[in-house]
Amino acid sequence: MILVTGGAGFIGANFVLDWLSVHDEPVVNLDKLTYAGNLHNLASLQGDARHVFVQGDIGDSALLTELLQKHQPRAVVNFAAESHVDRSIHGPEDFIQTNIVGSFRLLEAVRAYWNGLDATPKQDFRFLHVSTDEVYGSLDAQAPAFTEEHLYQPNSPYSASKAASDHLVRAWHHTYGLPVLTTNCSNNYGPLHFPEKLIPLMIVNALAGKPLPIYGDGMQVRDWLYVKDHCSAIRRVLEAGRLGETYNVGGWNEKPNVDIVHHVCSLLDELRPRADGQSYREQISYVKDRPGHDRRYAIDARKLERELGWKPAETFESGIRKTVQWYLENPQWVAQVQSGAYRDWVQTQYANA
Ligand code: NAD
Ligand code: DAU
């Protein structure tokens, strides 16, 4: 079996669902269930013996040791993190605790477990760390996309904490020989995306008749990847990645934020037209910029394609259509995640925008 951390969040839950749709290998899913973790994401696995959910913290060494001994996983895939840049600006402490201290505790527990394995399982064991393109910092408009050799130049508390965790993973390989793999992925989108992030926020605000807040001039560029393509990349790296290597994962879909918002509005205009016949674009509102806002990210994913034969299956057009359709078909999921805590966050972030 494999141990997944953070498997009740956006990408982790998509990964667990994807894994169990193509494998019968069981998953132990360790998740703290922060505001971003949601067991409803895994509702379709209720009663499925291949999925064991454990609520807990990757910073809890005793719990980690117990889980590793009990379940004897052949691999650990680490998704658990605080993941929202804006929240990291308002309150970096949780990011330091989970992304740095938590990753350290996880590495230490895994190292002890791995050291105790017999020769064959020890040789076959893998620790896969899921990271981000944000560790590389911001690109000028004409600069080539990030390769795996790009300098680490993180600019936000979030990206600095992820960069720190990447360095720990690297060091645990070089110093202790832990068999690690790291993936650095661009912006994901798709089903189960928490509506504090750009794409799901625009969909749910549009449908609720609320403003669509674009930061600054909206010309910041992100490189969008459909979440299921990220999941297939992680499966492939886990299966065949070279030990100690990092692999960039991206969709070759660089787009400015305004284009993304316009695209979402056009799809909603087609699929759920406004009662007054106007476009959802009428709801766009330019608000103050994110402090330290990175201008552009772009991923060069050729290493993953060359070495492991991975390519994204979705274009942006096909993936965003599926995503908008999913939100239209799942209003109860949206209502359920928009709890009191969610409303508090929206008030804090956008009140004086
Ligand atoms: P998310 O915020 O939706 O989910 C994070 C999950 O981790 C939640 O279920 C949460 O409860 C859990 N968690 C948080 N702290 C924990 C702790 N201390 N112990 C155990 N569980 C904890 O995040 P996501 O968007 O699914 O991102 C998953 C991973 O992928 C993160 O490591 C993130 O840095 C990385 N990543 C995300 C993107 C993206 O576009 N969302 C892109 C590249 C990489
Ligand atoms: O690049 C990978 C990263 O992508 C991941 O590591 C992070 O976990 C993930 O949250 C995401 O970070 P971003 O900051 O790029 O995502 P977010 O959806 O918050 O913002 C995307 C862009 O949209 C960014 O330029 C800021 C802008 N934005 C965002 C929000 C929430 C707006 O203009 N308005 C908004 O209300």
Side-chain angles (χ1 to χ4, degrees):
M1 69 152 54
I2 64 167
L3 172 65
V4 166
T5 71
F10 164 48
I11 305 173
N14 273 290
F15 179 82
V16 170
L17 294 169
D18 178 70
W19 180 270
L20 292 175
S21 73
V22 294
H23 279 265
D24 270 332
E25 186 174 17
V27 176
V28 177
N29 184 351
L30 172 66
D31 195 296
K32 188 176 173 182
L33 296 182
T34 67
Y35 77 93
N38 181 1
L39 280 180
H40 289 268
N41 293 348
L42 301 159
S44 62
L45 296 177
Q46 226 164 15
D48 189 330
R50 298 172 305 164
H51 179 239
V52 178
F53 182 79
V54 179
Q55 183 172 5
D57 194 323
I58 57 164
D60 183 343
S61 305
L63 174 64
L64 291 170
T65 302
E66 182 197 319
L67 284 179
L68 291 163
Q69 285 309 325
K70 180 170 169 193
H71 296 289
Q72 301 278 308
R74 68 160 178 98
V76 172
V77 184
N78 182 30
F79 292 94
E82 289 293 337
S83 70
H84 188 32
V85 173
D86 293 318
R87 284 185 191 256
S88 82
I89 295 166
H90 285 277
E93 174 82 30
D94 287 347
F95 291 73
I96 305 304
Q97 282 308 328
T98 285
N99 300 359
I100 305 180
V101 179
S103 296
F104 157 71
R105 298 249 168 83
L106 179 62
L107 281 165
E108 277 296 79
V110 168
R111 181 166 75 92
Y113 163 71
W114 172 72
N115 271 327
L117 291 173
D118 291 339
T120 305
K122 187 171 183 185
Q123 193 181 335
D124 293 345
F125 184 81
R126 297 289 182 270
F127 179 93
L128 191 150
H129 179 62
V130 179
S131 192
T132 171
D133 58 0
E134 299 202 11
V135 298
Y136 298 125
S138 189
L139 286 170
D140 292 337
Q142 303 307 326
F146 300 127
T147 67
E148 290 77 0
E149 277 69 49
H150 200 280
L151 279 180
Y152 268 41
Q153 294 176 320
N155 292 318
S156 72
Y158 163 69
S159 55
S161 68
K162 289 296 290 187
S165 66
D166 292 9
H167 291 321
L168 292 175
V169 170
R170 177 187 164 90
W172 261 238
H173 175 68
H174 282 268
T175 302
Y176 303 115
L178 193 69
V180 306
L181 299 155
T182 298
T183 53
N184 293 88
C185 188
S186 62
N187 284 61
N188 285 212
Y189 67 97
L192 308 178
H193 206 180
F194 194 77
E196 64 184 355
K197 309 280 172 70
L198 180 71
I199 289 179
L201 183 77
M202 295 300 143
I203 300 170
V204 305
N205 276 13
L207 293 172
K210 293 183 179 164
L212 308 181
I214 296 183
Y215 297 160
D217 64 1
M219 291 308 292
Q220 301 82 8
V221 171
R222 298 290 183 268
D223 183 352
W224 295 92
L225 180 70
Y226 191 62
V227 64
K228 289 187 198 311
D229 280 324
H230 188 188
C231 296
S232 74
I234 292 170
R235 275 196 276 113
R236 185 67 191 130
V237 172
L238 187 60
E239 180 178 61
R242 286 188 292 130
L243 291 186
E245 291 291 314
T246 66
Y247 292 91
N248 283 354
V249 187
W252 305 102
N253 271 312
E254 276 189 65
K255 292 192 190 301
N257 293 336
V258 275
D259 287 10
I260 297 290
V261 178
H262 286 164
H263 202 111
V264 167
C265 289
S266 301
L267 281 169
L268 287 171
D269 288 341
E270 174 196 331
L271 299 169
R272 182 74 55 84
R274 267 173 43 158
D276 63 3
Q278 303 256 16
S279 169
Y280 286 96
R281 285 190 191 200
E282 297 299 318
Q283 290 166 235
I284 289 174
S285 156
Y286 285 85
V287 300
K288 74 169 183 251
D289 210 350
R290 171 185 280 175
H293 200 170
D294 283 339
R295 197 70 183 162
R296 174 176 167 238
Y297 306 139
I299 277 281
D300 181 335
R302 281 178 296 180
K303 177 178 174 184
L304 184 50
E305 182 176 350
R306 193 175 59 244
E307 290 192 10
L308 304 181
W310 176 88
K311 268 194 198 176
E314 299 288 348
T315 62
F316 183 73
E317 286 65 30
S318 63
I320 194 71
R321 181 172 283 274
K322 285 183 183 176
T323 303
V324 170
Q325 269 162 345
W326 187 86
Y327 281 86
L328 289 173
E329 285 161 12
N330 289 278
Q332 69 294 351
W333 182 91
V334 173
Q336 188 270 327
V337 299
Q338 288 177 316
S339 64
Y342 175 78
R343 284 197 296 274
D344 292 347
W345 162 253
V346 170
Q347 175 67 18
T348 308
Q349 173 67 3
Y350 299 101
N352 304 314

